[in-house]
Structure formats: structure tokens, C-alpha cells
Amino acid sequence: MFSDGLKKLINDNLLRVICDRESGSTASRIIIDGEEYINFSSNDYLGLANHPLIIEAAKKAMDRYGFGAGASRLLSGGTELHGKLEKMIAEFKGTDSALIFNSGYAANISAIPAIAGEGDIIFSDELNHASIVDGCRLSKAKKVIYSHGDISHLSELIKKENGNRKIIITDTIFSMDGDIAPLSDIYNLCANLNSELRTPNSMLFYIDDAHGTGVLGEGKGALAHFKIKPDPFIIQMGTFSKALGSYGAFIAAQKDVIDWLINKARGFIYSTALPACVIAASIEALKILEREPALTEKLRQNRERLLKGIRDLGFDTLNSETPIIPIIPPYPPLAKGGRGGLSDVETTIKFSEHLMKNHIYAPAIRPPTVKLPRIRLAVTAAHTEEDIDKLLKVLRQAIGNRR
Ligand SMILES: *Cc1c(COP(=O)(O)O)cnc(C)c1O
């Protein structure tokens, strides 16, 4: 039925295939088809997914509350742990209130249409995550896309538009480029417009801190990184599935925003609640994050070591400022001598295969996920200096082989 479409994907080197692992661990080491790799593709930035205390907390909750939640949160799916985690998140993010969603994807596709409706205008960064794009598509608001991280383009567009409510939406850390949005500039823009307009909070600022939570601002996230206070016009979305090593997501905001979402966010209302054991794992992960600043410090050191090594080798890493480090073709020394007839997609796939042969796992990321194909490296606190040096050695060989 879909064989023509699939054939085209194969021809264009764009067919996606699933590559499941046999090993338990996610950060640092994985086993696929009996082969062990150093893993540079996991978002388990602090290596918490395998933390014994988190596993124990999940097991205890399973013994007490069973496994499946059985119903939506508004029926009988929630447990006292759900409410406890929401209190912890609100405190952690400095807001009145918080609400748990089943995943980051579910949070964005349900909260955005609930917050932005007919007569409203959404301003969205052109590189925002697919879940934001889909949330915008589901919203009845008008959508305006601004150039990536471009504050003057954004303010120009805002001036042109008239609507009830205006909402700026951005990733904090962009998941494929590893750069950070200009949050202070956007915050100031919103704060100034809100005071000029004299209608309180008609400019809203929605941030997706999926990659910032546990990574930026000593783990507290992007607002803490920029020392921005969580004003009522800010809505913070984040996930438990990346640096916190668990699963699920949250929105932290003023109480009336959260009460509105409980009533209007369809992915919250019409979906079974997360199992209590998953919530227990997230609670434990938050406790560990707050108790062990050494984890985020180790992540920062590993990132610096890797980034420096990669830039010394002459790779283009775009504007990466975080543990997400893209490496973009043409790869040096090809950068000087052209790319020998291979498309960037093919070059990237060959490059990834070379890494695999040398037991480094870092798959090629291709269109339509990104415009420019790339190897996306994600370094974690669980990597050792030897792991990073091994990757650098293999990268050096890879570009040496092409001379
Ligand atoms: C991963 C990610 C999501 C989706 O979160 P899940 O919990 O994996 O569904 C949303 N936004 C961004 C920016 C992400 O990177």
C-alpha cells in the first residue's frame, strides 16, 4: 500500500529504522545485536535512568499502588504521589502550581491549543520541536513563525499583529542544534509589552524546557540559568524523560493557568494517568538532582572536554552551548576540497557507520527532522574522560581516512 513512498525514502537515504538495545543502561553504554557501544545518543544527561534509588522507589510504588493507573486523572487514575510531585515541581520551578502530563509531546499538543484559541496569535521559533509545531497546528490561534532566535524579527512581527492574547513559544535548548534561546531578551520584550498594554498578561511566554531541566541553571532549568524570575506571564513546560531519567512531563505556571489546563487540555483529560511507579521515579530523581550538584558539574565538564576536542578537529558544531553537540558535513578536511560527489545525507550516514564500526553509537539525523543532516552527539555525566577521548580518536581517524 505504501511501497512507492517507502521506496522513495530508501532511494533518498531517508528511511528510518528502529534499532532496539538489549542492555539496561541508556547513558554511556548500550548493547545492540550483541555489540557494545559507547552511547552518544541518549538524553539521559545525568545518567539517572539507572540510578538504584530511582529503581527502588519505582518498585516500592508498584508494590503499593499496582502497575496500571486504570483511568484518567480526573476519574480515579491519580494517586497521592501525583499531587506530591506537582507540589515539588511548582516549588522547583518557582510557580504557584503545576500539572503532570503523560509525555512532553502530550503536554505541548494539549496545552498549546488550550492556552491559545481563536483570536489569539502564537509566535513560534522556526526551529521549535515537532510537538510544539503540532500543538500550534491544533490551536485555532493565528501562527506566526520568527527566524531562529532572532529577537528583532520577533519584535517586528509582534508589532504588526493585533489579537486578544499573544503567546511567544520557544524551546529553551534547541534539541538538534544545542543552542539556547535568547530568553532574557524575550522576557524583557514580554514584560515591556505587558506594562505598555495595561491589560495584565496579554503577552504570554511559553517555554519548552525539556532539555534545560536538569541541565541548565544548576539543574533548575533555563529560567534559573538566565536568572529570570518566574513571573505570572511565563508558562514553563518541562519533561521527566530526559535529564531526570524517568518519564512524563509537566507544566508549571500560575494557578489559574493550571486550573484552565485541567479543564481544557485534551491530552490531560482524555488519557490514562501515568502509573504511580513512574511518578515515584520522578520524585526520587528530583530529590537526587537537588541533593547532588556534582552531577550537573560533571556534565558541564564532560561537555567542555568534548566540545573543545571536536572544535580542535575542525568540525562545524553550529552554535552549540549545551551537551547537545551537532557535527555538520562537509567533514574536514573535505570542507576545503569539496565533498566528492556525495550528498550531505550520504556523507552523514557513512560517517555514522564509521562511528558504529568503532563502537561509538551516534546515529545520523536527517531531514525532515532537520534541514541540514548531522551527527547529533549528546554527552552525559555518565561518560568517562576515556569515553570522550575514544570518541575524539575515532573522529580524528574518520577525517584522516578521507585525505
Ligand atoms: C523530547 C522533547 C519533547 C517531548 O518529550 P517526551 O516526553 O519525549 O514526549 C518535547 N519538547 C522538546 C523540546 C523535546 O526535546
Side-chain angles (χ1 to χ4, degrees):
M1 218 186 334
F2 292 98
S3 62
D4 287 347
L6 285 167
K7 255 185 226 145
K8 176 154 174 29
L9 287 176
I10 294 170
N11 278 338
D12 294 345
N13 271 317
L14 294 178
L15 188 76
R16 298 172 197 254
V17 290
I18 293 172
C19 211
D20 286 334
R21 65 188 150 88
E22 290 144 41
S23 54
S25 77
T26 60
S28 151
R29 288 288 184 292
I30 49 168
I31 298 173
I32 298 170
D33 283 337
E35 295 283 336
E36 189 182 83
Y37 300 89
I38 307 177
N39 187 14
F40 284 98
S41 72
S42 174
N43 301 317
D44 181 16
Y45 297 113
L46 302 175
L48 290 180
N50 287 81
H51 198 292
L53 290 178
I54 295 177
I55 294 166
E56 193 189 304
K59 282 181 180 161
K60 267 199 194 143
M62 221 186 300
D63 287 342
R64 173 152 162 65
Y65 297 99
F67 186 70
S72 138
R73 187 80 180 284
L74 289 170
L75 298 176
S76 50
T79 65
E80 50 213 340
L81 295 182
H82 289 71
K84 180 179 173 187
L85 177 58
E86 285 168 346
K87 277 214 184 74
M88 287 173 75
I89 280 293
E91 199 165 302
F92 184 65
K93 293 290 187 181
T95 59
D96 291 352
S97 233
L99 186 66
I100 296 169
F101 285 81
N102 288 358
S103 69
Y105 187 86
N108 281 336
I109 65 162
S110 3
I112 294 171
I115 291 164
E118 194 128 26
D120 298 334
I121 305 163
I122 296 173
F123 300 87
S124 177
D125 187 290
E126 65 175 325
L127 293 191
N128 275 343
H129 191 262
S131 56
I132 297 179
V133 174
D134 293 357
C136 291
R137 284 179 184 155
L138 283 172
S139 163
K140 294 204 172 79
K142 177 174 178 183
K143 296 95 185 173
V144 178
I145 311 296
Y146 62 92
S147 307
H148 178 50
D150 187 341
I151 189 77
S152 51
H153 189 219
L154 172 60
S155 38
E156 228 172 80
L157 292 171
I158 289 177
K159 272 183 217 136
K160 275 193 214 150
E161 299 288 344
N162 284 312
N164 300 338
R165 194 184 276 137
K166 297 179 181 178
I167 300 118
I168 301 171
I169 306 184
T170 184
D171 284 19
T172 58
I173 295 179
F174 289 88
S175 53
M176 292 296 144
D177 286 35
D179 56 342
I180 304 176
L183 298 184
S184 292
D185 294 342
I186 302 177
Y187 170 86
N188 290 335
L189 183 69
C190 287
N192 290 340
L193 287 169
N194 272 329
S195 66
E196 271 169 35
L197 294 167
R198 298 215 193 113
T199 32
N201 305 327
S202 54
M203 276 304 310
L204 294 180
F205 186 17
Y206 182 108
I207 59 171
D208 177 337
D209 210 14
H211 292 276
T213 301
V215 172
L216 296 178
E218 271 103 51
K220 276 196 159 314
L223 290 191
H225 173 82
F226 285 101
K227 303 193 168 54
I228 295 172
K229 75 175 179 335
D231 275 334
F233 64 81
I234 305 179
I235 297 168
Q236 305 181 58
M237 175 271 183
T239 63
F240 299 109
S241 52
K242 285 170 179 150
L244 288 163
S246 178
Y247 190 70
F250 60 83
I251 291 197
Q254 237 198 339
K255 186 166 182 310
D256 73 333
V257 175
I258 298 301
D259 288 345
W260 182 250
L261 291 177
I262 292 171
N263 286 278
K264 296 289 173 185
R266 295 165 66 85
F268 173 80
I269 302 168
Y270 300 107
S271 190
T272 302
L274 286 177
C277 57
V278 173
I279 303 296
S282 300
I283 290 175
E284 194 61 36
L286 262 185
K287 286 186 189 162
I288 295 170
L289 175 65
E290 298 207 86
R291 182 168 81 214
E292 294 184 28
L295 282 172
T296 46
E297 178 51 26
K298 173 77 173 139
L299 174 62
R300 199 189 57 76
Q301 285 169 4
N302 278 352
R303 173 202 166 258
E304 268 177 23
R305 187 181 188 88
L306 180 58
L307 187 73
K308 180 173 184 315
I310 289 178
R311 290 201 171 145
D312 285 350
L313 289 171
F315 287 98
D316 177 4
T317 56
L318 299 177
N319 296 313
S320 168
E321 303 171 77
T322 63
I324 300 167
I325 306 176
I327 48 180
I328 310 281
Y331 296 123
L334 283 186
K336 290 163 206 133
R339 50 187 74 147
L342 290 181
S343 75
D344 284 348
V345 172
E346 273 174 288
T347 317
T348 311
I349 291 170
K350 288 229 155 65
F351 209 81
S352 171
E353 284 168 1
H354 173 84
L355 298 182
M356 284 284 277
K357 268 187 221 127
N358 288 280
H359 298 270
I360 302 275
Y361 191 70
I365 310 282
R366 296 165 289 181
T369 306
V370 288
K371 272 198 204 124
L372 292 176
R374 69 200 57 189
I375 304 287
R376 173 192 184 266
L377 297 170
V379 67
T380 74
H383 289 109
T384 61
E385 291 188 352
E386 291 74 39
D387 292 340
I388 293 169
D389 293 347
K390 165 90 196 276
L391 167 61
L392 290 171
K393 191 175 144 206
V394 173
L395 287 173
R396 194 175 307 119
Q397 282 168 354
I399 58 182
N401 287 348
R402 288 152 184 279
R403 258 179 242 269

